[in-house]
Amino acid sequence: MSLMQQLNEKAQRLGIPLSAHLDITYRCNERCEHCYLEHDDKGEMTTAEIRGVLDQLADAGVFFLIISGGEPLLRRDCFDILAYGRSLLFNVKLKTNAVLIREAEARRLKALGVEQVQISVYSYRPEVHDGITKLPGSLRRTLSAVRFLKSQGLKVTLANVLMRQNMFDAAGTQALAAELGVSYTLDPTITPMMDGHTGILSMRAPREMLREVFRDPNYVGNVEEFCAPPPSADDEVLEGTPCSAGHTAIYITPYADVYPCVQFPLPSGNLRRQKFIDIWRDSPELNEVRSIRAHDLPTCSSCTHLSNCTRCPGLAFMEGNMRGPSTADCEKAFVRTGIPTANMVAKARTGGSAGRRPAVSGLVQIRA
């Protein structure tokens, strides 16, 4: 068992939020086609409010802090927030498109001791990346920032989201990361808008492309396991929790709303009205999320993929039922193995309507 697994298990036993993801703004200088956020400012927390939130997170036991957005560097106090987080001894990771990072900013991030900078890059080709971001010259500026950050010795990861617009560019983008001497991640999931609208899901890469990605050992490890049947679920799996959301991890919006995860927009409290520790311990919504075990999932508990499924309860919630299947994860499980999931079998029997609920809308209530 890795050290991180041990930390997570101990944190879950003790009820400690080990990590927090804090978006300090939803404003952005890019307009990415697949983005799930609304970019208007609906009443962001002030610097003082964010400092207060960070104090509360530190008191609650948070160690890993992700600062993101939107584009966090659009806030003039972004470096002040990072500095305050480091003064509280958080392990800080910054997520950014890096368009606003030049040599001076890279030096400041190094001096602050930011652990890692994750940068969104969607293609090695400017016409594809800039076409997705809707910001001419964005790839050039982002890659310049990567070089500045590397020159300061910072850890950098290029994060790519696979979609129809860039589905033939994954290998080239990974090669670009290797050339730059940085890490690379590929996420094959497009998520619904945080308000529940699902129009952007049409950008998801088709099954044929997912199949190629999962066959590639550069992404999935041992290619020989591609068609291996999933192992049967045992008692330990059936008693397991879906993921860390609400268990050892938490998400906070720029408007002080608390959710289990950035992909799980279940309103669970607001830090302008409640203390973080009270929300963490007493929120009915968080406690409901924590109560769910794999054997409680009506469809998924009987699925042959249960023991190795990447099912996201947040995506399931966005489809209408946090205890239901996540269609995107069912698709990935099928593509990896060639074996239909229980949800796919049920839909085939009922003409595609099994367990279906209307997509959730109006999930996010912006509170000034």
Side-chain angles (χ1 to χ4, degrees):
M1 182 183 297
S2 70
L3 178 59
M4 276 304 305
Q5 288 174 317
Q6 294 178 52
L7 280 173
N8 270 299
E9 286 195 3
K10 187 170 184 178
Q12 186 160 337
R13 284 198 308 271
L14 298 175
I16 294 173
L18 187 61
S19 66
H21 179 147
L22 171 60
D23 280 345
I24 60 175
T25 183
Y26 283 160
R27 291 174 289 130
C28 193
N29 47 4
E30 295 183 335
R31 285 295 181 269
C32 297
E33 294 179 315
H34 63 288
C35 186
Y36 52 84
L37 298 174
E38 179 186 345
H39 296 300
D40 293 335
D41 181 359
K42 303 294 184 180
E44 296 170 358
M45 286 186 284
T46 65
T47 308
E49 286 180 308
I50 291 176
R51 283 180 171 232
V53 168
L54 295 181
D55 286 334
Q56 294 181 57
L57 294 178
D59 289 343
V62 170
F63 178 67
F64 297 102
L65 176 67
I66 299 170
I67 298 293
S68 185
E71 173 46 53
L73 289 167
L74 283 180
R75 283 191 65 133
R76 294 182 178 181
D77 59 355
C78 181
F79 282 99
D80 293 334
I81 292 168
L82 293 170
Y84 194 72
R86 289 294 297 131
S87 75
L88 296 173
L89 302 182
F90 290 120
N91 177 293
V92 176
K93 176 180 180 180
L94 177 67
K95 290 188 175 184
T96 173
N97 59 40
V99 167
L100 298 176
I101 295 177
R102 296 177 177 81
E103 190 168 4
E105 288 77 16
R107 285 199 301 268
R108 291 182 71 183
L109 292 172
K110 176 63 176 179
L112 287 172
V114 170
E115 174 66 19
Q116 184 184 9
V117 182
Q118 180 176 305
I119 300 173
S120 301
V121 173
Y122 305 115
S123 175
Y124 65 98
R125 295 186 291 160
E127 62 271 24
V128 176
H129 176 91
D130 295 1
I132 291 170
T133 66
K134 305 304 180 188
L135 180 63
S138 57
L139 180 62
R140 173 183 53 79
R141 294 168 67 180
T142 292
L143 296 183
S144 293
V146 172
R147 296 183 179 97
F148 287 138
L149 293 165
K150 282 292 293 178
S151 73
Q152 298 301 313
L154 282 153
K155 295 179 185 176
V156 178
T157 296
L158 300 192
N160 188 10
V161 178
L162 187 70
M163 61 191 97
R164 288 183 180 272
Q165 294 90 324
N166 67 354
M167 62 185 185
F168 299 110
D169 289 9
T173 309
Q174 185 177 42
L176 172 63
E179 178 186 330
L180 293 167
V182 301
S183 302
Y184 174 77
T185 64
L186 181 66
D187 183 355
T189 305
I190 300 291
T191 62
M193 297 284 290
M194 286 190 74
D195 62 6
H197 293 293
T198 59
I200 60 175
L201 299 188
S202 63
M203 299 179 193
R204 284 177 173 171
R207 181 177 294 175
E208 296 75 18
M209 177 51 60
L210 289 178
R211 186 175 290 112
E212 291 302 313
V213 168
F214 284 116
R215 284 183 185 273
D216 191 329
N218 290 318
Y219 304 123
V220 297
N222 189 348
V223 71
E224 294 178 0
E225 294 180 357
F226 177 76
C227 290
S232 299
D234 55 23
D235 290 340
E236 183 177 351
V237 171
L238 288 169
E239 288 297 326
T241 54
C243 68
S244 62
H247 292 274
T248 60
I250 203 71
Y251 169 63
I252 302 169
T253 77
Y255 314 119
D257 290 307
V258 177
Y259 301 137
C261 171
V262 68
Q263 289 190 169
F264 198 160
L266 171 68
S268 303
N270 183 276
L271 293 168
R272 283 173 165 156
R273 292 187 291 275
Q274 301 162 274
K275 296 290 187 184
F276 174 77
I277 196 63
D278 294 335
I279 296 173
W280 178 256
R281 290 175 177 169
D282 302 326
S283 164
E285 294 82 8
L286 290 180
N287 284 327
E288 181 184 4
V289 169
R290 293 176 189 136
S291 73
I292 299 172
R293 296 295 180 268
H295 61 67
D296 297 319
L297 309 176
T299 301
C300 302
S301 59
S302 63
C303 184
T304 57
H305 293 276
L306 180 65
S307 60
N308 66 352
C309 182
T310 59
R311 173 187 173 275
C312 172
L315 292 179
F317 171 73
M318 295 285 273
E319 290 186 37
N321 182 4
M322 71 172 76
R323 290 175 172 80
S326 159
T327 301
D329 292 299
C330 289
E331 182 74 8
K332 286 188 282 185
F334 175 67
V335 166
R336 282 199 307 270
T337 65
I339 299 172
T341 67
N343 184 42
M344 296 170 76
V345 171
K347 284 185 175 181
R349 288 174 178 164
T350 60
S353 61
R356 179 182 296 172
R357 295 188 184 185
V360 179
S361 62
L363 295 174
V364 181
Q365 297 179 9
I366 301 302
R367 303 180 177 95

